[in-house]
Amino acid sequence: MSAAAARRRKQAQKRAAKTGGTPAGDPVQGRLDALLADLSLSEESVAYDALQLAQSAVRRNVKIGNFAGAVDVAYETSLALLTKSGRVAVSSQLLAELVKVLGETHTACDAEWVARFTRLDEAYRAALDGDGNMSPEERGRLQRLHLQFLKKGLKWSNDLGSVRYGHQGMHSLLGDHCWNMSCDASVVDKEKPLGGDDDESTAEEVEIELRGDAVGHYAMAERIDAILGKLRGLPSPTDEETAAGHACPPAQRDELLTRAVLVLLAVENLSGARSLAGSFLSDVSERPPAELKKSYLDKTDGRSPSHAMFCSMLVRICEKDAKTAPLFQWLVKNFGAELTTVHDPEVIKAYTTKIGRVYFNILPPPSMMDMMENMMSGMGGMGGM
């Protein structure tokens, strides 16, 4: 913020303090309070009236420097519209205003605000699930709007919070929402649900993209048990998915394990990566570790290298010093053919590049460095490390 903008902000706050924030007897706020207490709030027209009054009150509070009042009005009205009227589409518009004003007013992200986002998320889900007359198309649209709201909230927590890459609570909310979306037929049964008109993603691609984002956010939230729980619920790899030189994508369970371990290592959470890889081998994988170790180096058994063993070996190498860089490079190269079959292999390459730089001082070429930093900065907005 420029010096001039800072001065204007302080002057506005002083004016607001002199008038006690929102002026007493403010007719707009009075009408809004009356509507929110009215039993007819469940009617669409009344809910829209409340939305317009709230937007007006928010803008007025920002103009007079009552920033706390502005964000409070946006939050409280959004929650009321969800819990009292159940009008998700109406509330989604005010939620977009809320996250915009949080950044505009430089409101700090703290535990209280993360708790507020949690309450809004719970109310949004309850209202969405409680509307039995909603069309699948509208449900999918509102799911995607909520995804954007949570992503912007995560970016705000990264920009104006004290936690690098965003607050763990915000990552946790995004992890849950992404996974829930991946199980929602109104989202994954559509051919182009996450992108624009030129997006030709299939339902399977949308599902794995959402689940990849979910485990990434769970990793950032350090919810190792949540990742393991999701992986346990997925089918075991098929013979086709584990055949040597397979052209099909790997099993979702394997791909998501690798994605989560790479995220944990990229943000230097070695203990989390160790816990996840070890627990997967002992509690989830059907093949015993001894068999996986033997198969990993056996080029004649007709099986592709195991994701679980790759992750376990990668963690062990990262626990050592930078002198093991050649071993790291060999491991990534040896597993490279398998990594090219995953969804969005460039993202995986960016993670392994970051790991090489952090643990082994292996500097990537400038072009890869730019791509890596751009992708990582997204995880605090989605993905940044």
Side-chain angles (χ1 to χ4, degrees), residues 78-79 81-89 91 120-134 139 142:
S78 295
L79 190 61
L81 286 171
L82 289 169
T83 57
K84 295 181 180 181
S85 76
R87 295 288 175 179
V88 185
S91 181
L120 287 170
D121 178 67
E122 291 171 350
Y124 195 97
R125 290 198 214 181
L128 197 62
D129 293 339
D131 190 339
N133 297 320
M134 186 179 295
R139 179 182 174 86
L142 292 173

Side-chain angles (χ1 to χ4, degrees), residues 21-71:
T22 302
D26 181 354
V28 172
Q29 186 64 49
R31 288 169 58 198
L32 175 60
D33 292 340
L35 281 183
L36 295 180
D38 197 315
L39 295 178
S40 65
L41 187 63
S42 59
E43 297 177 12
E44 186 174 25
S45 60
V46 178
Y48 267 109
D49 286 344
L51 167 66
Q52 292 173 340
L53 289 170
Q55 291 172 326
S56 177
V58 168
R59 295 287 70 174
R60 169 150 177 75
N61 277 309
V62 170
K63 185 175 181 180
I64 67 173
N66 183 18
F67 301 143
V71 294

Side-chain angles (χ1 to χ4, degrees), residues 81-288:
L81 286 171
L82 289 169
T83 57
K84 295 181 180 181
S85 76
R87 295 288 175 179
V88 185
V90 179
S91 181
S92 66
Q93 298 180 51
L94 194 54
L95 290 175
E97 182 73 10
L98 167 61
V99 77
K100 175 183 175 182
V101 172
L102 284 170
E104 183 182 327
T105 60
H106 293 263
T107 300
C109 174
D110 55 20
E112 180 182 353
W113 265 108
V114 174
R116 284 183 162 192
F117 267 82
T118 301
R119 287 191 287 273
L120 287 170
D121 178 67
E122 291 171 350
Y124 195 97
R125 290 198 214 181
L128 197 62
D129 293 339
D131 190 339
N133 297 320
M134 186 179 295
S135 69
E137 291 76 16
E138 177 67 358
R139 179 182 174 86
R141 184 184 75 86
L142 292 173
Q143 288 274 50
R144 295 189 291 275
L145 282 176
H146 195 53
L147 177 64
Q148 294 304 315
F149 167 70
L150 291 176
K151 283 185 175 183
K152 290 176 181 178
L154 175 61
K155 184 179 186 304
W156 159 74
S157 76
N158 178 59
D159 294 343
L160 294 168
S162 59
V163 182
R164 191 181 183 193
Y165 311 136
H167 197 285
Q168 289 183 347
M170 300 300 294
H171 278 291
S172 185
L173 292 176
L174 260 168
D176 286 338
H177 187 64
C178 286
W179 194 274
N180 289 338
M181 283 183 70
S182 77
C183 302
D184 191 330
S186 69
V187 176
V188 298
D189 280 1
K190 302 301 177 184
E191 288 296 308
K192 298 178 287 188
L194 295 181
D197 293 337
D198 59 345
D199 184 0
E200 298 180 356
S201 299
T202 65
E204 292 77 13
E205 290 170 334
V206 170
E207 183 180 74
I208 188 60
E209 180 179 347
L210 286 167
R211 291 182 176 180
D213 287 349
V215 297
H217 286 299
Y218 283 145
M220 298 297 289
E222 299 184 7
R223 290 182 60 188
I224 307 303
D225 287 345
I227 298 172
L228 287 168
K230 300 302 184 186
L231 298 183
R232 282 193 196 96
L234 295 175
S236 303
T238 64
D239 290 341
E240 181 186 8
E241 291 167 337
T242 57
H246 64 86
C248 67
Q252 271 198 22
R253 194 178 75 178
D254 286 345
E255 179 171 340
L256 295 176
L257 168 69
T258 300
R259 175 78 168 255
V261 169
L262 291 177
V263 171
L264 288 164
L265 290 174
V267 296
E268 302 178 60
N269 187 351
L270 257 173
S271 62
R274 185 189 311 115
S275 174
L276 177 57
S279 296
F280 184 90
L281 279 172
S282 62
D283 302 336
V284 181
S285 176
E286 295 83 5
R287 299 172 67 189

